[in-house]
Structures are given as C-alpha cells and as structure tokens.
Amino acid sequence: MATINSNFLKLKAGYLFPEIARRVKAYSEANPDKAGRIIRCGIGDVTEALPPAVVKAMHEGVDELANRSTFHGYGPEQGYEFLRQAIVDNQFANLGIEADEVFISDGSKCDTGNILDIFGKGNRTGITDPVYPVYVDTNVMAGNTGDANDNGAYEGLVYLECNAANGFVAAPPCDKLDLVYLCFPNNPTGAVATREQLEAWVKYAQENDTIILFDAAYEAFIQDSSIPRSIFEIEGARDVAIEFRSFSKNGGFTGVRCAYVVIPKTVTGKSESGERIPLHRLWSRRHSTKFNGASYPVQKAAAAVFSTEGKEQVAALIEHYMGNAKLLRETAQALGLQVFGGVNAPYVWVGCPAGLTSWDMFDKMLEEAQVVITPGSGFGAAGEGWFRISAFNSRANVEEVCSRLKALVS
Ligand code: MLT
C-alpha cells in the first residue's frame, strides 16, 4: 500500500474559505427563507466584470487560436515575452528588474505555496500572525513544522505577532530567520508598511541572510503615494527578496487566473556544501518542469491591463472597491468598533463587539444579518477578537451590509 504524506494529518481544520462556505451552505439549507438574503463579504473575491480592454484582448487571443496560421500551442514556460516586458515597463520601471526575472503563473496562491519546492528543510521561517493561511498550511504540508498546539500555532514556525499596538505591522525580530513572509497591503488586516518599516526589514534580511517572500497581490489598492508598492523600491532588496504579484484583484482575474513571481538573479540561497546558488536558477528549473505556462488568451488579456484603456478601467475598478472600503470602514468606526485597513487595501479589519469571539461574530452576522464575514481567528491566534470584511462587492450590497451592521451592533 502506498504511504501518504503524513504532514497533511497535522493540518488543523479544512482550509479557511471552504470551511466558511460549508457553514454558509449549512445555514442556507437550514434556513431556506433567509438564503436569498445572504450577502458575501467573506472571501476576497472580485465581483465586477472584467475590464472591457481585457475582454477584447482575450477574445483576440481566442480568435488567434481559432486559425491555423495564428495558432499557438505550448508557450514559453516562463510566460510570453510580451507580458513579462509589459510587467517590467509598467510595474518595475527603474527598479532594476529585467523581463527574464519575471515568471508568469496561474495564481499567487499557487506561487506562494510552490516556492517552498526550492528551499531545503530546517529553515527557520517567520510568518506574521494573523496571516494569509496559505503560507502556514503549505509549510505544514512540506514538513517544515511539527504539530499545532491548542492555539493552532505550529511548532517550528516563528510567529510575529501583529496587533493594534504595532498597527498590525511586525518589526523584524531580534533573532535570526532564514525565510520570512511579508504581505503588504496586508491580507487580512489591510495594514500597509511604510518605507521606513520595509527598509528595516531589508536591512534585517541583509544582516541575517534572510530571504523575504514579499506578497504584493494587493499593491494596486495603495492610495498613499508615500507607501512603497514593491519591495524592490527599497535599496538592497534585489539581493534578499522575491516578490509575488497577481492580476486577480486589480484586473479582476480571480476566475481567469494569472499572476507572476519576480526573482532577481542576485538573490541566493545556500547549498548543503555552503555554495551560494541563485534562486532564479532553481525556480526556473522548477517552473519549466512542473508548469507549461498560463494560457495564451489569458496572457494576452493580462497584458491588456497595461494598455491605456486597460489602466483607466482598472483604476475605475479600484476606485469602486475602495469606495466600498470607505463606507464599511466609516460605518464600523461610527459604531464605536476598532477599525484597521480599508484605506490602502480592500479589507477592513474590525474589532468584535465586547464579549464576542471572532467565530461568535461570524455566527451572529450570518444568523442575524445574513452577512458573511471572515473570522479573524481563522488567520491565526492573534486574529482572535477581530473580523475581516471584504470590500469586493457591488455598491448596493455594501450599503446594505452597512445598514445591517448598524442594526446589529447599535
Ligand atoms: C482572501 O479572501 O483572503 C483571498 O481571496 C484569498 C486568496 O486570494 O486566495
């Protein structure tokens, strides 16, 4: 009989969002009269249609595939040059990033999980708490942790607590990490790191030989021009950081799937014999072995995000979602709740009313207001007592959520 990867048995519950979906389904089945009233502000899934420039480019891509003379089969595993160059020109101009340091993929969730393929065992890995659960669960699956304790914290990971006192931005620890995951704008708290805070992290990484895994999936939502959008805006980051970016939340590609990883050729890790090896080389090998490229129409569509019309249309989408975030934030604040995020990020992070745990608040919102939120404790022990409201919705739904929240809490 085949043996299994027993690390999977260490995983606590199901993955957070399917677990929420399961609970919402159970509620809907038990309360069919209320099911039609449910508004979903749980998972951060976009709701608005793809930008017209993206749709047009995707149609053109399909039309090319429909003709033998313009047909494309397998593309380059790393992604088409036209997309990688458009990314560099539009997202990393003057930051020293080259098109061959960009790897196109089908999503940041996969990329942030798959990246562990190129790292060895025994790394001391830091994650913030609360955190996007993928970073934790993929480390568990890879065998980089022991068991979870009663708080759900896994032995072997270093948890960097984020809380109201530090504005949900962790400072570098005193001791040495080999790898650290940073996500800004942050999922779930919506916090952003200032230039000084990111400089401190890059300095720490240089001094401790740490690799920063920087998840910038939400960079398009940054409104404050003083906040860096990329870790590569920080001097020295090219030697210590990998950045993950996505078309999911800016271009609305959650159902289309396209993302990318930027790995400068100057970032290195150590082999067992102590030799410094460029991570770019390893990821290139991994990517070309396990991945055959994102589909051609999707890459055409992604490149259209950077066209003149595409940029205007994406800006309008961001403005729409950030308008929602403002309404949610101001409503929660007016109710006297503690609120973070929602200013440079599409997530509003709210303190639960006194006496309620995160899951209590989830149940109350679902059962009494038919609004789905995400319980903060689902993102880690430090998220207990908080809940996340996603601003990805129609304006009418967000206005309705605001009025239901007022009726529930006041
Ligand atoms: C979330 O709700 O946290 C996001 O949808 C997760 C993701 O993008 O995978």
Side-chain angles (χ1 to χ4, degrees):
M1 191 188 292
T3 59
I4 57 154
N5 176 351
S6 300
N7 294 310
F8 279 69
L9 305 181
K10 297 177 194 161
L11 291 164
K12 292 293 277 182
Y15 185 61
L16 178 61
F17 295 106
E19 173 62 19
I20 289 173
R22 192 189 62 73
R23 292 183 185 221
V24 173
K25 185 164 178 277
Y27 173 80
S28 306
E29 283 167 4
N31 301 275
D33 53 320
K34 306 264 178 59
R37 234 185 144 243
I38 292 175
I39 302 178
R40 288 174 167 77
C41 294
I43 191 164
D45 193 3
V46 294
T47 54
E48 305 309 296
L50 289 171
V54 164
V55 175
K56 181 167 173 283
M58 202 183 303
H59 276 301
E60 285 167 4
V62 172
D63 286 343
E64 284 182 58
L65 298 185
N67 278 295
R68 196 169 196 290
S69 60
T70 50
F71 177 75
H72 296 267
Y74 291 127
E77 292 89 356
Q78 194 171 341
Y80 283 97
E81 168 85 23
F82 67 78
L83 178 56
R84 288 184 288 111
Q85 193 59 53
I87 287 168
V88 167
D89 295 345
N90 288 279
Q91 306 275 271
F92 298 96
N94 307 319
L95 298 183
I97 300 297
E98 304 286 341
D100 66 354
E101 294 175 320
V102 176
F103 294 82
I104 309 297
S105 75
D106 60 356
S108 284
K109 188 185 196 176
C110 326
D111 286 337
T112 53
N114 291 335
I115 199 73
L116 291 175
D117 276 4
I118 66 169
F119 293 106
K121 299 282 168 240
N123 283 318
R124 207 170 136 73
T125 300
I127 56 148
T128 58
D129 180 10
V131 72
Y132 180 42
V134 171
Y135 314 152
V136 175
D137 288 4
T138 53
N139 269 286
V140 176
M141 291 173 184
N144 294 338
T145 72
D147 288 322
N149 66 18
D150 292 343
N151 284 330
Y154 287 92
E155 188 195 337
L157 289 178
V158 179
Y159 289 84
L160 307 170
E161 187 176 329
C162 299
N163 48 39
N166 62 18
F168 288 95
V169 179
C174 299
D175 50 350
K176 181 176 155 48
L177 296 172
D178 301 306
L179 286 172
V180 65
Y181 292 82
L182 297 179
C183 172
F184 293 112
N186 188 257
N187 178 14
T189 66
V192 283
T194 62
R195 178 170 295 278
E196 292 69 33
Q197 286 168 324
L198 291 180
E199 280 170 353
W201 270 108
V202 169
K203 184 164 180 282
Y204 168 87
Q206 288 169 322
E207 288 171 359
N208 292 280
D209 233 338
T210 311
I211 303 290
I212 298 174
L213 300 173
F214 192 79
D215 185 347
Y218 297 92
E219 61 76 30
F221 296 86
I222 294 176
Q223 308 290 304
D224 178 343
S225 58
S226 72
I227 302 292
R229 288 167 176 262
S230 167
I231 191 71
F232 300 121
E233 290 179 43
I234 309 300
E235 204 179 324
R238 272 188 56 87
D239 297 330
V240 294
I242 290 177
E243 184 161 310
F244 302 91
R245 291 250 187 144
S246 171
F247 292 95
S248 282
K249 313 289 160 106
N250 58 350
F253 275 47
T254 53
V256 175
R257 312 307 304 149
C258 197
Y260 54 98
V261 187
V262 181
I263 309 191
K265 293 195 182 127
T266 39
V267 191
T268 57
K270 265 190 223 141
S271 72
E272 276 175 22
S273 62
E275 189 190 354
R276 283 198 170 270
I277 309 284
L279 298 181
H280 182 280
R281 194 168 105 200
L282 304 187
W283 186 248
S284 177
R285 186 69 172 84
R286 188 249 169 235
H287 206 62
S288 54
T289 303
K290 291 196 178 181
F291 190 61
N292 253 337
S295 85
Y296 176 72
V298 163
Q299 293 193 57
K300 286 274 286 187
V305 163
F306 303 118
S307 65
T308 308
E309 308 75 40
K311 281 182 193 161
E312 282 166 12
Q313 292 158 5
V314 167
L317 281 175
I318 301 289
E319 195 182 326
H320 165 76
Y321 291 128
M322 290 311 291
N324 288 349
K326 183 170 188 289
L327 283 176
L328 292 164
R329 194 182 76 235
E330 290 176 352
T331 299
Q333 269 165 346
L335 292 169
L337 301 174
Q338 251 192 311
V339 182
F340 284 81
V343 178
N344 291 295
Y347 295 128
V348 184
W349 183 248
V350 187
C352 296
L356 296 185
T357 66
S358 299
W359 279 107
D360 289 343
M361 189 61 184
F362 172 87
D363 288 339
K364 190 173 170 68
M365 291 282 279
L366 180 61
E367 287 161 18
E368 297 175 33
Q370 289 76 49
V371 173
V372 182
I373 46 101
T374 309
S377 56
F379 298 103
E384 181 55 275
W386 297 84
F387 64 100
R388 190 191 78 174
I389 317 180
S390 161
F392 292 114
N393 225 312
S394 66
R395 183 59 47 85
N397 272 354
V398 165
E399 285 168 353
E400 180 63 22
V401 168
C402 290
S403 67
R404 292 190 201 172
L405 190 63
K406 276 185 210 156
L408 192 76
V409 174
S410 50

